Amino acid sequence: MTAPLDVPDAAMEAKPESVLEGVGGKAIEGRSLGQIAWMRLKRDKAAIIGAFVVVFLTLVAIFAERPFGGLIALFGDSPNIPNNDLIDPMTSAPMGAWGGISLEHPFGLEPVNGRDIFARIISGAQISLLVAFLATLLSVVLGSLMGVLAGFFGGWVDTLISRAMDVFLAFPLLLFAIAIVGAVPDQALGLKGNALRIAVIVFIIGFFNWPYIARIVRGQTLSLREREFVDAARSLGARNGYIIFREVFPNLVAPILVYATLLIPSNILFEAALSFLGVGVNEPQASWGGMLTTAVTYYTIAPHFMIVPGLAIFITVMAFNLLGDGLRDALDPRAR
């Protein structure tokens, strides 16, 4: 028989938190997956710069016009007001150096009519971001739903949805969009003018792009449905709907968020391409692609008219791509 251990009273009365004290007496705290991802994202300077540009452009588009702020009225003219007195009648180019750049017109003026380019860039940002965000939202909703159904149930459901994805992926989207948008009437479904054209563009881009995200979600779901927590939920009598929305979907948020961030710049380019081809929004509403179309005629006398909207598209797409790459590395470092 051994003698009992002589344990000091102070050790017996020690608080559990004292075991977790680190250097300097500071408590050691665990980090959630979100905190770990945020730490990784903060280290990526390019992603932070991209996020700042995205937030800045979004706020500018939201507060561009009254009642939200009126940035256009504060820093420039209305995007549709001509300044014919500032145009050279002989060359149709803006008067002054660098395309009429001044404090009143920081990006210069359009040839022929003299509309303020700064105001039209901001107005075009509203159209590009609105179409891109809404089309991405539609693609994400459809693609996530179809992908999780195909991956979770398998069998004939997977076969049917997979064949539908193949059909949509083989569809000539650009030609179809040109044909449909070009044939849009002036009024339909309670909408008219540019509101109707924007709704049609959003539907075409969002509805025909869902297979890309559906394939990603399907692959992730095929792996998740075999995990232990799904088997545990089934053993407890959980139904399929509960398992899909409470067990599977929360684990799909990261890949969906990353792909959505990378899909937005593609939609911005697609909208700009439609406007460049003349089947986007109608004049006098500004759009970056439409401004490039007009600039093709006048780039020899006013090259800034082509450079400014081209830079706007480039910076916006680059910012979203940097943010998307940073999110992918932060949420899934194994994908590097």
Side-chain angles (χ1 to χ4, degrees):
M1 184 173 182
T2 60
L5 293 175
D6 186 11
V7 180
D9 295 337
M12 296 295 293
E13 296 176 358
K15 297 180 181 180
E17 289 79 7
S18 65
V19 180
L20 298 178
E21 288 186 357
V23 178
K26 295 182 179 180
I28 301 175
E29 298 180 358
R31 295 187 179 96
S32 65
L33 294 177
Q35 291 174 325
I36 295 174
W38 172 240
M39 289 179 57
R40 296 195 189 108
L41 183 63
K42 287 193 298 184
R43 298 193 193 104
D44 192 338
K45 303 303 181 183
I48 294 299
I49 294 174
F52 175 80
V53 174
V54 167
V55 172
F56 175 76
L57 290 173
T58 304
L59 292 177
V60 167
I62 293 174
F63 294 100
E65 298 178 358
R66 292 182 176 88
F68 299 105
L71 291 177
I72 292 179
L74 184 62
F75 294 102
D77 292 336
S78 171
N80 300 324
I81 294 180
N83 294 283
N84 296 321
D85 57 321
L86 300 177
I87 299 298
D88 188 340
M90 300 298 295
T91 62
S92 297
M95 297 180 182
W98 304 100
I101 293 178
S102 63
L103 293 177
E104 293 80 11
H105 309 287
F107 288 174
L109 301 169
E110 285 188 354
V112 181
N113 52 42
R115 292 181 296 191
D116 185 72
I117 295 180
F118 174 79
R120 293 186 66 77
I121 286 293
I122 296 179
S123 182
Q126 293 177 314
I127 299 298
S128 294
L129 294 179
L130 177 65
V131 171
F133 281 133
L134 292 181
T136 301
L137 178 61
L138 180 59
S139 296
V140 166
V141 172
L142 291 176
S144 300
L145 181 61
M146 293 297 182
V148 75
L149 290 178
F152 186 82
F153 290 104
W156 67 268
V157 176
D158 185 19
T159 302
L160 181 62
I161 295 178
S162 297
R163 296 295 78 77
M165 287 191 284
D166 293 337
V167 172
F168 276 88
L169 291 173
F171 215 80
L173 180 56
L174 181 60
L175 296 178
F176 181 76
I178 293 173
I180 294 298
V181 179
V184 170
D186 293 333
Q187 185 172 355
L189 303 174
L191 301 173
K192 61 180 180 180
N194 283 328
L196 177 60
R197 298 180 74 87
I198 291 174
V200 173
I201 292 173
V202 168
F203 174 78
I204 291 174
I205 298 176
F207 184 73
F208 286 91
N209 276 335
W210 67 264
Y212 296 99
I213 192 168
R215 284 191 165 183
I216 295 175
V217 172
R218 174 184 174 273
Q220 294 290 328
T221 306
L222 287 173
S223 175
L224 289 173
R225 73 176 185 178
E226 306 298 334
R227 300 286 292 274
E228 293 81 2
F229 61 86
V230 174
D231 293 335
R234 283 199 182 100
S235 65
L236 293 174
R239 298 185 177 181
N240 289 332
Y242 177 90
I243 296 175
I244 290 174
F245 291 102
R246 298 298 298 273
E247 302 292 344
V248 177
F249 254 125
N251 291 280
L252 295 172
V253 171
I256 291 174
L257 180 62
V258 170
Y259 188 78
T261 309
L262 296 174
L263 185 61
I264 290 175
S266 299
N267 292 340
I268 291 176
L269 290 174
F270 196 92
E271 184 277 330
L274 291 179
S275 297
F276 182 80
L277 295 173
V279 290
V281 294
N282 292 324
E283 285 279 351
Q285 173 60 53
S287 67
W288 293 343
M291 294 176 68
L292 286 175
T293 300
T294 308
V296 171
T297 307
Y298 303 104
Y299 76 94
T300 55
I301 61 173
H304 73 289
F305 188 27
M306 176 176 288
I307 294 173
V308 174
L311 281 177
I313 296 174
F314 172 78
I315 292 173
T316 304
V317 172
M318 178 64 73
F320 274 104
N321 284 332
L322 291 176
L323 177 58
D325 289 340
L327 284 175
R328 180 187 59 197
D329 295 338
L331 295 172
D332 186 9
R334 295 172 300 176
R336 291 187 177 187

